[in-house]
Amino acid sequence: MKPLMLQGHERSITQIKYNREGDLLFSVAKDSTPNVWYTINGERLGTYDGHRGTVWSVDVNWDSTKLLTGAADLSSRLWDCETGAVINVYETKSSVRSCNFSFCGNLFNYTTDRQMKHEPRICVFDIREPADAEPALSFVVDTKEMSKPMCSLWGALNEYLITGHDDGTISHWDLKTGQLLHSVKEHTMLIKDMQLSSDQMMLVTASKDKTAKLYDAPTLEHLKTYKTDRPVNSAAISPIRDHVVLGGGQEAMEVTTTSTKVGKFDAKFFHLVFEEEFGRVKGHFGPINSLAFHPNGKSYSSGGEDGFVRMHEFDQSYLDFEFEC
Amino acid sequence: MVSWADASENEKTSWADQVEEEETVEFSKEGDLPPSSQKIVGNIKTVIEYKYNDDDKKVKVIRKYKIETKKTSKSVARRKLLKKFGLSVNDSSGPQRATTMVSEDVQMQFVTNREEEMLQEQEDPTLSKFKHQLQYYMFFKNFKGTAQKDRADEGDKPETDDTTTTAPAAPGKYVPPSMRSGGNTAGSSMPTGRGSRDEQATIRVTNLSEETKESDLQELFKPFGPIQRIYLAKDKHTQQSKGFAFINFYNRDDAAKAIKSVCGFGYDHLILNVEWAKPSTPAGTS
C-alpha cells in the first residue's frame, strides 16, 4: 500500500477521527489548528482557526455538520464543520482533555484536567441551548478517591459515560445524576485512548502499561488482553474483521536516546479473539499517538508524534488474510 | 435514506493517479508569467503552470491528471464540493503538494514467530549482562582481527562460533541463533563476529534461478571438495532464492577448482557466474 502523508500540523498529532461516512478525516495536534481532510485523495478541505493551545481531542457529530474540539487553552469549541466558523466557545477552568458528541449529536461532554487547584470536572452540554446556558450536567471527580479522567466516550443509548483514568481505571457514570455506576481497574498505568467497536458493544483501551484490553462496554467485563513491548497510545477495532490495531512506541522524551531500529513505532495488528499479533505496518518515525479505522474497514489512518497523519489503504493481501490458529 | 446519486458532475481528481509526466520548457527571463491554465479532454486533465525555477528562469510545468468518477451518497458528494476554508482557503482544487504527499510503498509484514518475541521479553538479567560482555569481547576481538588480517586462519572461525553457541547457553536455556549476539540490545549495530569468518575459500555464485535450493547447490559443488557452509540468499516472505549464493569451502584450492569449472556453466536455463567472494566490510568499521 502507498500511504498518503498528510502534513498539516507543525507539532505532534494528538487525535484523529473519521466522520460516520468516512469521507472526511479530522486531525488535531499540539499546534492549535484542527485540520479536516478528504479521505479519497488526501486533500485538505480546511482548518479550524481559533484555539490558542494544544488541542487534545476532536469529535464530529452524526451528520458531519458540527465539530467539537477540546483544548488546553481552557476552552472547548463548537464549529461549523463545513465552513470552519466558530459556533460556540465553552470556557473552562482547566484544560479540556477529551470531548465527545453523544450519538444524536445534540449533547456533548468534555472532561477537564486537574490544574491550578481545580479538580477534574466532567460536563455535559446541550448544543441547542444558548452559549451562556448552564451545563445539562456538571460534576467534579474527587481526586482523593480516584485519579483524573484521560479520555471519555458515550455509552450506547446515552445512558452512561465511560471514562478512562490516569491510574488505569475505567468507570461508568450515570448521565442523569452524575453518579459513579461502577469502575474496574485492569490496567496498571494510565489509559491513553479508548475506542468503541462499530456497534458500541465492545470497548478497547490503550494503556501506558504496554497492553491494550478489550471490554464488554455495557458491563465493563474484561475480555481480552493484547500484550506488546511498548507503551500503547491508541487502539482501534476493525469494523469488518476480528482485528485490533495497536499503535504506540517509546515515550517522546526517550525517542532521541534510542535508534529508530528499536523505536517500535510500527502499528501492530492483533487478532481480536486469539490475542495474537499477525501483522505490522511501519512508517512513522515517532510513536503513533492516534489510530482510526475507516468506517468501511478497508483503510486506516495513524497520527504520530512526528506530526504526520498517514492514511493507509489496505492491500488485498490484508483483506484476504485468514488467521491460522 | 442514503440515496445513490450519479455524481458525475463532481469529478474527483485523485493525486495518486497523477500521470508522471512533467515537462519543463525554459523561457528567457522577460516579461511576466503567463497565467496558468487547465484543460480537460476526456478523462485527462492537463494543468499548465508557469513559474521561476531556482536559476530565475521561467519554467513551464505541464501536469496531467487522470480523472476518476466515483458514485457516492448525496451527502458525501455535496461535501466534496464544499469551499475550502481556514488555511486552505486559497488552495486550488485537488490535493496540494505542501500538505499531501504520497509516501513510499509499505507492506504489512505478517508476523508468525511470536514465540521468539516472548523469549526476548522473558530474558533474565544475568543472561543479558553476559550477552553484553560477549558483545564487548567480540567487538574488540574484531578490531584485532583487522590489524592481523593476514594471520587469520581457518581455525579462527569455529572458535568464534563456539563461543557464541556455548556461552549464552550456560544458564540452561536455548537461545535462537538470531539472538545470540544480542540482537535486541542497544548495540545491535555492532559487528556480530560474522566478519571474522574465514573468507579465503569462499566463492560467490550469481545468476541462479529462483527455484534453486540449498540442496541443489550442495549437489553441484560437492564434487570439488568438502564444503563448510552454503548460504543461499532468500526472500524473507516468499522463501525464493534471490539469485545468488555463497559457498565456503574448507580449502582454497577446491574453491578455485569450482570457479574454473562452474563459471559459465548452464544451470536451469541460466548461465552461472562464479567468482571469489569479496570480503565483507572490514570488521572494525564502527
Side-chain angles (χ1 to χ4, degrees):
Chain A
M1 45 195 167
K2 275 206 164 92
L4 284 169
M5 275 189 6
L6 313 180
Q7 191 185 19
H9 295 285
E10 286 163 9
R11 292 197 56 202
S12 48
I13 308 293
T14 49
Q15 195 174 32
I16 56 170
K17 226 170 231 181
Y18 283 97
N19 66 343
R20 185 181 55 89
E21 283 148 319
D23 61 320
L24 299 177
L25 177 75
F26 299 90
S27 62
V28 291
K30 286 185 181 171
D31 60 16
S32 51
T33 326
N35 281 202
V36 56
W37 310 83
Y38 286 119
T39 56
I40 185 144
N41 55 5
E43 182 181 354
R44 186 162 75 174
L45 169 61
T47 60
Y48 301 88
D49 306 331
H51 275 302
R52 273 166 285 115
T54 297
V55 186
W56 286 116
S57 182
V58 65
D59 199 19
V60 62
N61 69 350
W62 195 79
D63 51 359
S64 309
T65 52
K66 292 188 177 69
L67 189 79
L68 182 70
T69 53
D73 63 355
L74 311 186
S75 73
S76 181
R77 281 170 193 250
L78 188 68
W79 311 79
D80 184 327
C81 180
E82 297 178 356
T83 63
V86 179
I87 297 173
N88 221 335
V89 181
Y90 300 87
E91 305 274 349
T92 57
K93 294 273 167 41
S94 54
S95 63
V96 180
R97 182 58 70 157
S98 71
C99 59
N100 287 283
F101 276 112
S102 67
F103 193 75
C104 63
N106 287 331
L107 297 170
F108 76 87
N109 81 299
Y110 63 71
T111 67
T112 62
D113 271 356
R114 185 184 182 194
Q115 260 170 1
M116 299 176 286
K117 292 180 189 161
H118 292 291
E119 292 286 290
R121 183 173 275 278
I122 298 174
C123 289
V124 177
F125 281 90
D126 190 325
I127 63 166
R128 294 164 294 189
E129 301 277 325
D132 50 355
E134 286 292 304
L137 178 71
S138 173
F139 57 93
V140 167
V141 178
D142 189 355
T143 44
K144 286 191 197 81
E145 284 168 22
M146 64 194 311
S147 62
K148 66 170 184 178
M150 299 297 294
C151 45
S152 60
L153 286 171
W154 288 74
L157 307 174
N158 294 355
E159 279 173 353
Y160 52 88
L161 191 76
I162 313 167
T163 52
H165 293 260
D166 199 21
D167 63 350
T169 313
I170 50 176
S171 310
H172 271 186
W173 304 86
D174 185 353
L175 276 169
K176 292 199 174 68
T177 60
Q179 295 261 301
L180 179 67
L181 293 173
H182 51 277
S183 66
V184 293
K185 186 168 188 270
E186 300 284 350
H187 284 295
T188 55
M189 289 167 96
L190 79 96
I191 294 174
K192 280 272 190 123
D193 185 34
M194 298 192 299
Q195 292 193 31
L196 288 167
S197 61
S198 55
D199 60 3
Q200 304 197 318
M201 284 296 109
M202 284 189 292
L203 173 77
V204 67
T205 55
S207 166
K208 207 180 154 187
D209 67 4
K210 303 185 179 180
T211 62
K213 286 177 195 277
L214 188 76
Y215 300 85
D216 180 45
T219 63
L220 294 185
E221 186 194 343
H222 175 226
L223 301 173
K224 297 286 174 192
T225 302
Y226 311 100
K227 284 186 193 140
T228 69
D229 48 1
R230 68 200 71 174
V232 185
N233 290 340
S234 188
I237 305 171
S238 167
I240 53 165
R241 307 286 307 264
D242 289 332
H243 294 165
V244 177
V245 59
L246 269 57
Q250 312 141 296
E251 279 191 81
M253 58 188 291
E254 289 166 18
V255 168
T256 49
T257 60
T258 41
S259 75
T260 48
K261 221 190 323 186
V262 293
K264 297 166 181 170
F265 303 139
D266 38 3
K268 285 168 161 259
F269 286 77
F270 279 73
H271 193 277
L272 184 86
V273 180
F274 302 118
E275 306 174 322
E276 250 176 77
E277 184 192 351
F278 66 85
R280 288 176 195 181
V281 177
K282 282 186 189 166
H284 282 287
F285 39 91
I288 292 174
N289 284 344
S290 187
L291 279 166
F293 265 105
H294 191 284
N296 73 8
K298 288 174 183 159
S299 75
Y300 85 98
S301 294
S302 52
E305 190 73 24
D306 54 10
F308 289 108
V309 177
R310 292 170 68 91
M311 290 203 304
H312 308 73
E313 194 86 26
F314 285 121
D315 286 334
Q316 198 56 39
S317 64
Y318 166 81
L319 300 170
D320 292 341
F321 177 77
E322 288 297 330
F323 191 85
E324 286 165 31
C325 38
Chain B
M1 177 177 46
V2 179
S3 63
W4 296 88
D6 186 357
S8 57
E9 73 284 349
N10 52 296
E11 285 147 332
K12 296 164 188 172
T13 50
S14 166
W15 192 31
D17 297 320
Q18 179 184 344
V19 182
E20 290 285 331
E21 228 176 285
E22 290 194 15
E23 196 181 312
T24 53
V25 183
E26 290 198 2
F27 293 87
S28 62
K29 196 192 168 185
E30 269 173 44
D32 289 320
L33 291 171
S36 62
S37 64
Q38 61 177 55
K39 228 178 0 186
I40 297 172
V41 181
N43 63 345
I44 302 281
K45 178 169 122 179
T46 316
V47 180
I48 302 171
E49 280 176 356
Y50 298 90
K51 63 176 182 187
Y52 290 108
N53 67 5
D54 297 339
D55 305 329
D56 268 352
K57 286 203 174 123
K58 220 186 272 180
V59 175
K60 181 184 180 187
V61 181
I62 302 173
R63 286 202 199 99
K64 287 182 179 171
Y65 298 87
K66 201 160 84 193
I67 294 171
E68 278 182 14
T69 308
K70 276 199 180 178
K71 287 186 183 176
T72 58
S73 66
K74 266 183 183 164
S75 56
V76 173
R78 189 184 58 80
R79 277 201 291 272
K80 191 70 188 78
L81 296 172
L82 287 175
K83 264 205 197 103
K84 294 193 177 182
F85 54 89
L87 297 174
S88 292
V89 72
N90 295 323
D91 291 356
S92 57
S93 77
Q96 303 300 305
R97 300 195 132 197
T99 51
T100 310
M101 285 165 282
V102 180
S103 75
E104 281 169 30
D105 203 10
V106 289
Q107 296 298 321
M108 178 180 279
Q109 291 173 288
F110 289 99
V111 195
T112 45
N113 48 349
R114 176 99 181 110
E115 291 86 84
E116 198 176 291
E117 222 174 75
M118 296 290 283
L119 215 119
Q120 213 164 323
E121 272 172 24
Q122 291 161 2
E123 196 176 81
D124 53 290
T126 45
L127 181 63
S128 67
K129 192 181 160 196
F130 197 84
K131 266 192 200 166
H132 274 108
Q133 285 174 347
L134 184 74
Q135 214 169 28
Y136 185 81
Y137 163 68
M138 298 291 278
F139 179 67
F140 283 99
K141 187 179 152 65
N142 284 330
F143 255 153
K144 235 183 274 169
T146 41
Q148 310 168 342
K149 205 170 183 171
D150 305 358
R151 288 201 285 141
D153 55 12
E154 278 149 56
D156 199 3
K157 186 251 143 197
E159 187 197 314
T160 48
D161 256 9
D162 280 352
T163 44
T164 45
T165 42
T166 54
K173 197 175 187 183
Y174 172 68
V175 181
S178 59
M179 295 167 52
R180 273 174 207 158
S181 50
N184 59 333
T185 51
S188 56
S189 57
M190 285 185 179
T192 52
R194 204 177 60 88
S196 64
R197 184 188 293 281
D198 178 39
E199 272 154 356
Q200 295 289 308
T202 305
I203 58 170
R204 191 174 71 142
V205 189
T206 51
N207 209 22
L208 289 163
S209 79
E210 280 188 345
E211 280 84 42
T212 314
K213 287 193 196 75
E214 263 140 358
S215 53
D216 300 335
L217 293 170
Q218 178 95 31
E219 228 161 81
L220 184 67
F221 288 99
K222 213 162 45 185
F224 303 105
I227 295 169
Q228 194 177 5
R229 160 179 175 266
I230 291 180
Y231 173 77
L232 176 64
K234 275 184 258 174
D235 189 281
K236 245 188 235 168
H237 304 292
T238 61
Q239 288 300 315
Q240 277 194 324
S241 144
K242 274 185 175 171
F244 67 95
F246 291 97
I247 321 278
N248 291 50
F249 285 95
Y250 279 105
N251 298 315
R252 202 178 151 82
D253 296 345
D254 295 340
K257 236 191 312 178
I259 290 178
K260 215 182 266 174
S261 15
V262 184
C263 191
F265 181 78
Y267 191 77
D268 256 8
H269 70 79
L270 290 171
I271 292 172
L272 294 187
N273 184 25
V274 188
E275 59 196 2
W276 290 110
K278 289 177 198 85
S280 52
T281 42
T285 40
S286 41

